[in-house]
Each structure stands twice: as C-alpha cells, then as structure tokens.
Amino acid sequence: MAILVTGGAGYIGSHTCVELLNEGYEIVVVDNFSNSKPESLKRISEITGKLFPFYQMDVLDKKALDQVFSENTIEAVIHFAGSKAVGESVSIPLAYYQNNVIGTVILCEMMKNYGVKNLVFSSSATVYGATDQVPITEDTMLGAVNPYGRTKLMIEEILRDLSESDETWSIALLRYFNPVGAHRSGRIGEDPNGIPNNLMPYISQVAVGKLESLNIFGSDYPTKDGTGVRDYIHVVDLAMGHLKALEKIRSKRGVDAYNLGTGSGYSVLEMVEEFEQVSGQSIPYTIVERRAGDAAICYADVTKARNELGWSATRGIHEMCEDTWRWQQNNPEGYSEESKIKQETRSPVLKTAVGLFMSH
Ligand code: UFG
C-alpha cells in the first residue's frame, strides 16, 4: 500500500516525501515540474537512501492518472500539486481555477473510481482572507481576497460536499501559515522561479549576493515595529504535520481543517535581524509602500492540531534561518546549477534511481 504524493518534487512536497520515506511509508510521486525540478527527486532519494516510482504528468491528465492508480495500490493521497503565486493568480485566474480546482476534482474522481477515500489536502491560511483577528482558529471566518485564495477555499468546500455525499471519505485540510527553512542536509529547499515573492527566499538571496536589497512593504502597521507579522513555520515541522494528518484520517472519517503554524508571530524586521545574525551577512533594506492585500498580523491558534493530531512545531526562527542559509549557500542557483554539476559525480545509487523515477 502506497501514499500517492502529487506535487512531490515541490518545496513542501519534497520535504514531506523525505519524512514519509524515513517513517517507512511507500510512496508514489507525480509532478509536472511546472514549478519544480527533477533534481529534487534525486535528492530525496539521496537523503533517504530509498527509491520510489515517479510519473512526470499533470493531474489534469485523466489517462495518466488512471495509469498511476491502476499500476499501484494507493491507500491515501497527499495532494500538493497546484499553482501558488498570489500575484500570478490575479493575472491568469483561469489557469489557477483549471490547475487547482479542476485538478483536484479530477483527482477525487479517480480516487473515487479506485475506492481510495483518504485525502490530505494542501490548503493555506489564505482561506482566512485578510483578517486581523488573531490568533486565527479554524473557526475564524473564511473569505479569500485573490484568485489563488479562492481556489483553496473552493477546493475546501468541494471536499466538504464530497464528504457530505459519501461518509466513507476521510479528509484533512491543512492550512499552512508561512513555510520557510529547508532540510538540515542543505540538499533540498525552496527554489522559486525568478525573483521571489516571499520574504524568506528574498532575504536569503540578498544575503548570498544574488539580489541587492530587500524592499520592506510598509512600516506603519499597528505591530510591534510597524512591519508585518507572520507565523513562520519550518518546512520539516510542516512535513511532519502531514504524517500526523495521515495517521488521523486512517481512524477518523469526515472532513477536518487544521492550522499548521507555530502559534507565534514575528515581524519582517525580526526575521531580517535573525537572518543577519545567523548568516553573518548584512541585509540592506528599503521601506516601501504597503503591498496590496497584506494583513498586518497573521498567526495561528494551533490548539486543534496539538490536541487532535498530536502535532506541534518544534523548530524556532533560529533554525529556520540556519537551514534556509545552508540551503541557499550550498545551492546559490537552486537545483539547476547543481544538476549540471552532479551529472558527472552521481553516485551509483542515484543512477539506479534515475531509471526507476522516469517510469512514465
Ligand atoms: N514582505 C516584504 N518584502 C518582500 C516580501 C514580503 O516586506 O519582499 C513582507 C510582507 O509584506 C509580509 C511578510 O513579509 O508582511 C511575509 O510575506 P510573504 O510574501 O513571505 O508571505 P505572505 O504572508 O504574504 O503569504 C503567505 C503565502 C501565501 C498565502 C499567504 C496567506 O506565501 O501563499 O501567506 O496565507 F496566500
């Protein structure tokens, strides 16, 4: 019995694959590499010393998805695959509704056809809109403020309808706060396309000298130092949350939403200072206008995840910055540069893995 991981080559997906393999789960990964690189799969294998089947395909491709379900015995699905850039979703909303909403509907149809009814869905704190009511509990009013957020909210509603129609489904909606950090090994991490939209990859690219200076979006918020406050969560803690959710849905039917955060908020300036300390580099910055749609403060109430999943984050901002920095220093060009260099020096284990990966 295997866990199907869609979007398993991506940032959160790859870290979750590592934890699943370490825990002894069998996994099957699908990814279309629209926002990820094959190299991350090789690194998952390298870190864990394990091989796994991989299909390069889109979840919108029904035929390919059918093949995945027919060739493997799938017990549950962790669904990461989707588009995630807020700004881009405003420019190309139809692509977001297509990839995220339709992609999930197709995946669920296939799961239903094969009698697989355990699903962990990659949702986001974005479903709470731009609320300033903190801490945010799972019962805080929902309401998205951009197409990306609406896709996450719509999918949550679709999954609730599905569960309402058939009580044998078990679904966990994991609402991520601000994922940062990287695997301790420095071998997998976040590899954004182009100039990063998010704070942490931006800071680390300034620290490594790829970008000149950070723009801080507003210093007049009603927060401790005027800059925006967020609940940053280490990606490995987040990955562990998926394993706990997987255990939970094995024993509990219906739909449940869980906030995955640390429960603490840090300001932009606090993150900059911590990163400077950890890296020994200075991070020059300029205060600019607020970014449209940004809330002043956002952090989670994590009581439900702690009580019901037996999960809580253990890594603080020091470790988040340390691990981000190690990844950034070791991979200044993300996966692309390394994958060229690695061609010649690949270990025998990885050579075998390459053959096994590309089974579609
Ligand atoms: N920020 C800057 N400069 C930058 C980037 C960000 O000052 O260059 C600030 C933002 O204004 C905000 C904080 O840093 O105060 C964090 O911003 P991020 O873009 O890293 O993260 P967001 O909280 O805006 O977005 C995250 C996810 C989204 C998700 C959203 C709401 O990246 O996918 O949380 O849950 F939709």
Side-chain angles (χ1 to χ4, degrees):
M1 296 288 265
I3 310 298
L4 173 62
V5 185
T6 73
Y11 175 42
I12 304 169
S14 59
H15 288 81
T16 304
C17 286
V18 166
E19 299 309 322
L20 286 166
L21 290 167
N22 282 345
E23 222 20 68
Y25 283 98
E26 268 183 52
I27 63 169
V28 175
V29 174
V30 309
D31 204 300
N32 65 1
F33 297 133
S34 62
N35 193 21
S36 61
K37 303 271 165 41
E39 180 67 17
S40 79
L41 297 176
K42 291 176 199 148
R43 306 244 184 127
I44 294 169
S45 215
E46 174 199 300
I47 293 168
T48 60
K50 292 183 177 164
L51 299 175
F52 51 87
F54 168 70
Y55 296 78
Q56 182 175 351
M57 50 156 275
D58 206 300
V59 290
L60 292 163
D61 182 344
K62 288 186 189 173
K63 215 170 135 230
L65 202 53
D66 199 320
Q67 190 185 338
V68 173
F69 277 86
S70 67
E71 288 179 359
N72 301 279
T73 310
I74 308 291
E75 167 197 352
V77 178
I78 307 183
H79 182 36
F80 292 105
S83 307
K84 63 169 188 179
V86 173
E88 188 184 58
S89 78
V90 176
S91 325
I92 49 168
L94 296 180
Y96 272 67
Y97 290 115
Q98 176 83 356
N99 289 340
N100 295 5
V101 180
I102 312 286
T104 306
V105 170
I106 289 173
L107 174 67
C108 289
E109 273 171 354
M110 202 58 68
M111 290 175 69
K112 190 170 160 228
N113 291 347
Y114 282 86
V116 180
K117 295 183 177 175
N118 294 328
L119 175 65
V120 176
F121 174 62
S122 180
S123 190
S124 163
T126 193
V127 297
Y128 298 114
T131 182
D132 271 340
Q133 188 194 323
V134 285
I136 295 174
T137 73
E138 287 80 357
D139 296 326
T140 297
M141 208 167 72
L142 302 178
V145 293
N146 54 61
Y148 163 71
R150 270 185 282 280
T151 66
K152 292 291 178 187
L153 197 48
M154 281 178 193
I155 296 167
E156 287 202 359
E157 285 169 351
I158 289 168
L159 296 176
R160 285 186 194 283
D161 288 340
L162 182 59
S163 162
E164 195 70 33
S165 74
D166 173 355
E167 62 177 22
T168 63
W169 281 84
S170 301
I171 302 171
L173 311 172
L174 303 185
R175 296 175 178 159
Y176 312 150
F177 280 68
N178 289 60
V180 298
H183 192 262
R184 271 263 107 162
S185 63
R187 299 295 289 156
I188 55 171
E190 189 170 11
D191 182 19
N193 281 333
I195 296 179
N197 297 310
N198 298 116
L199 181 67
M200 198 58 149
Y202 205 107
I203 290 179
S204 64
Q205 292 197 13
V206 172
V208 87
K210 279 186 74 181
L211 295 170
E212 258 177 35
S213 161
L214 170 71
N215 285 326
I216 295 184
F217 301 137
S219 62
D220 56 352
Y221 284 108
T223 60
K224 41 191 150 187
D225 57 25
T227 64
V229 167
R230 293 291 181 275
D231 186 340
Y232 297 94
I233 173 162
H234 195 293
V235 65
V236 174
D237 278 327
L238 197 57
M240 303 297 287
H242 291 74
L243 272 68
K244 292 291 188 185
L246 208 49
E247 280 173 32
K248 185 72 186 177
I249 61 171
R250 279 173 159 171
S251 61
K252 184 177 181 292
R253 287 178 170 179
V255 181
D256 260 296
Y258 300 98
N259 285 343
L260 296 188
T262 62
S264 304
Y266 289 92
S267 73
V268 175
L269 285 173
E270 284 175 321
M271 295 308 283
V272 169
E273 276 161 30
E274 187 65 38
F275 206 94
E276 283 183 328
Q277 260 189 24
V278 162
S279 66
Q281 305 294 313
S282 82
I283 315 284
Y285 64 81
T286 314
I287 306 284
V288 299
E289 288 292 290
R290 291 181 179 191
R291 184 171 65 179
D294 273 357
I297 306 184
C298 174
Y299 61 89
D301 181 318
V302 290
T303 314
K304 188 175 175 192
R306 190 173 57 231
N307 291 347
E308 294 188 19
L309 300 180
W311 171 89
S312 48
T314 59
R315 295 160 178 84
I317 60 164
H318 187 76
E319 216 167 328
M320 297 178 203
C321 292
E322 261 182 2
D323 293 340
T324 302
W325 181 229
R326 186 178 304 104
W327 156 253
Q328 183 69 66
Q329 274 191 302
N330 293 351
N331 308 270
E333 300 303 327
Y335 288 115
S336 34
E337 173 108 330
E338 261 307 280
S339 43
K340 275 182 235 148
I341 299 166
K342 288 294 291 183
Q343 293 292 344
E344 322 238 317
T345 54
R346 236 180 243 147
S347 73
V349 174
L350 292 180
K351 263 185 194 153
T352 324
V354 177
L356 213 153
F357 282 149
M358 304 303 170
S359 59
H360 180 72

